[in-house]
Amino acid sequence: MLKKIKLNNNWNFSLSKNYNPNKVPIDKRLKSSKKFPATVPGTIHTDLLNNKIIDDPFYSDNELRIYWIPECDWLYQTKFDFTGNNKNNVDLVFEGLDTSSEIYLNNIRLGGTDNMFVKYRYNVKNILKAKANELKVIFQSPTRYAADEEKKYGKLPVALNSTRVYIRKAQYSFGWDWGPTFPTSGIWRNVYLEEWSDAKI
């Protein structure tokens, strides 16, 4: 028996406290740690746009005005009830997280991520509650993460932004000859609980 319970609904996002206020001209609503509705699957750029915090990034030179977004850490969170059978095995599955993040369920750290192209799975059978489970994903600034890795391992002879090669993320998001510079963060694929009994393939 294999059962999937989707967790794509009821997410919100807010600005994490980890940012440099002198370098980042952030909207006052974000600085107050206000929570905004988020769409999953999605990205921080589309969530900011949907909540009218930024203007259309593809219009005119608006790309230059949103450089601060990837410089910030972002918190995504949701609450959900679990109506399954807790005698079975239960995995929490993220099909795609972009990119460097920490995951917490009911204030217990499940693990960290550093690759947007792989699936992450955590056994949560002993952490789940029947009511009001709280799931949090804290995304680290992709530009800061990549820059820190380059400092550790050295600059490589690559075109365009050299730090980008140190993060397992779609490289075009750092800008290309055909596209703008939008290093995104977010839950870009489905999230669900997978309940199973004794064995699975």
Side-chain angles (χ1 to χ4, degrees):
M1 187 278 291
L2 184 67
K3 180 182 177 185
K4 284 187 180 180
I5 305 164
K6 279 201 172 183
L7 299 178
N8 288 352
N9 296 326
N10 304 317
W11 284 86
N12 62 62
F13 76 94
S14 58
L15 178 69
S16 181
K17 293 186 167 89
N18 196 5
Y19 71 95
N20 186 336
N22 298 321
K23 290 185 177 179
V24 181
I26 295 174
D27 186 291
K28 289 179 182 177
R29 292 171 293 171
L30 289 173
K31 286 184 180 178
S32 70
S33 297
K34 179 179 175 180
K35 297 175 184 175
F36 297 86
T39 301
V40 172
T43 72
I44 186 59
H45 286 73
T46 51
D47 284 332
L48 290 168
L49 182 62
N50 291 339
N51 284 278
K52 301 187 183 337
I53 297 170
I54 62 170
D55 295 324
D56 183 350
F58 293 102
Y59 178 76
S60 186
D61 62 350
N62 284 349
E63 174 193 356
L64 305 177
R65 297 185 177 90
I66 58 170
Y67 68 89
W68 55 270
I69 297 173
E71 294 294 323
C72 300
D73 291 1
W74 298 97
L75 168 62
Y76 278 73
Q77 54 191 331
T78 188
K79 286 187 177 179
F80 64 92
D81 296 336
F82 177 63
T83 58
N85 185 346
N86 61 9
K87 291 181 180 177
N88 289 327
N89 294 290
V90 185
D91 292 342
L92 172 64
V93 182
F94 290 91
E95 290 188 341
L97 292 169
D98 183 10
T99 293
S100 174
S101 75
E102 300 282 328
I103 303 165
Y104 295 85
L105 178 61
N106 297 330
N107 293 317
I108 295 173
R109 184 182 181 276
L110 301 182
T113 73
D114 60 4
N115 188 331
M116 79 175 283
F117 304 111
V118 301
K119 183 186 291 186
Y120 290 91
R121 177 184 297 271
Y122 304 95
N123 187 314
V124 294
K125 173 182 177 177
N126 297 321
I127 302 173
L128 283 171
K129 304 181 293 184
K131 298 285 184 183
N133 292 281
E134 188 172 31
L135 178 57
K136 294 181 181 180
V137 184
I138 304 169
F139 290 97
Q140 181 185 354
S141 156
T143 49
R144 204 168 60 245
Y145 173 92
D148 288 347
E149 293 297 291
E150 185 180 71
K151 281 178 190 172
K152 271 195 263 182
Y153 300 110
K155 188 170 182 177
L156 296 172
V158 297
L160 306 175
N161 183 336
S162 64
T163 63
R164 66 181 169 78
V165 299
Y166 279 111
I167 185 169
R168 291 295 295 140
K169 170 178 181 55
Q171 295 292 284
Y172 60 77
S173 68
F174 288 89
W176 221 260
D177 55 357
W178 49 265
T181 302
F182 297 157
T184 55
S185 295
I187 304 169
W188 76 281
R189 299 190 74 187
N190 292 320
V191 189
Y192 51 86
L193 294 174
E194 192 171 84
E195 183 185 336
W196 51 284
S197 49
D198 297 324
K200 63 176 179 170
I201 297 176

